[in-house]
Amino acid sequence: MINGIDPFILQLVIIPFIVIGIGLLGAFITKKITLGVIITLVANIALELTLFEGGLSIWSVFFPLITFIILLFFAKWFKSQGMK
């Protein structure tokens, strides 16, 4: 755990911005929506395993779902850019 940061703030503010941002960045770089969701899942699991020492939470499901919903809003733009 990171010293000096409340676990509640860490789990609800910092980690979502990090993992969803990494997933969105991965989708934009690879030009594939599904890969962005997978990157979000892997990033969240990696952060939870390292920060919370082996405990996984339900956020491992919600963060990829939130990333997918955000990427659906960009789907029309993705198609115009030749993304899948």
Side-chain angles (χ1 to χ4, degrees):
M1 181 74 67
I2 299 173
N3 293 332
I5 297 178
D6 183 30
F8 183 76
I9 298 296
L10 185 68
Q11 190 72 26
L12 290 180
V13 177
I14 298 169
I15 290 178
F17 282 118
I18 292 171
V19 298
I20 292 172
I22 290 171
L24 292 174
L25 183 66
F28 286 117
I29 290 172
T30 62
K31 300 180 180 178
K32 296 185 188 278
I33 292 175
T34 54
L35 203 53
V37 175
I38 293 170
I39 290 170
T40 302
L41 177 65
V42 170
N44 187 54
I45 289 173
L47 275 174
E48 285 192 5
L49 289 177
T50 56
L51 294 177
F52 300 113
E53 296 156 0
L56 292 177
S57 68
I58 192 68
W59 294 108
S60 296
V61 174
F62 286 129
F63 292 152
L65 184 63
I66 292 168
T67 302
F68 182 68
I69 290 169
I70 292 170
L71 289 172
L72 283 180
F73 287 118
F74 288 107
K76 187 175 183 179
W77 181 77
F78 279 170
K79 287 184 181 183
S80 70
Q81 298 296 317
M83 298 180 186
K84 297 177 182 179

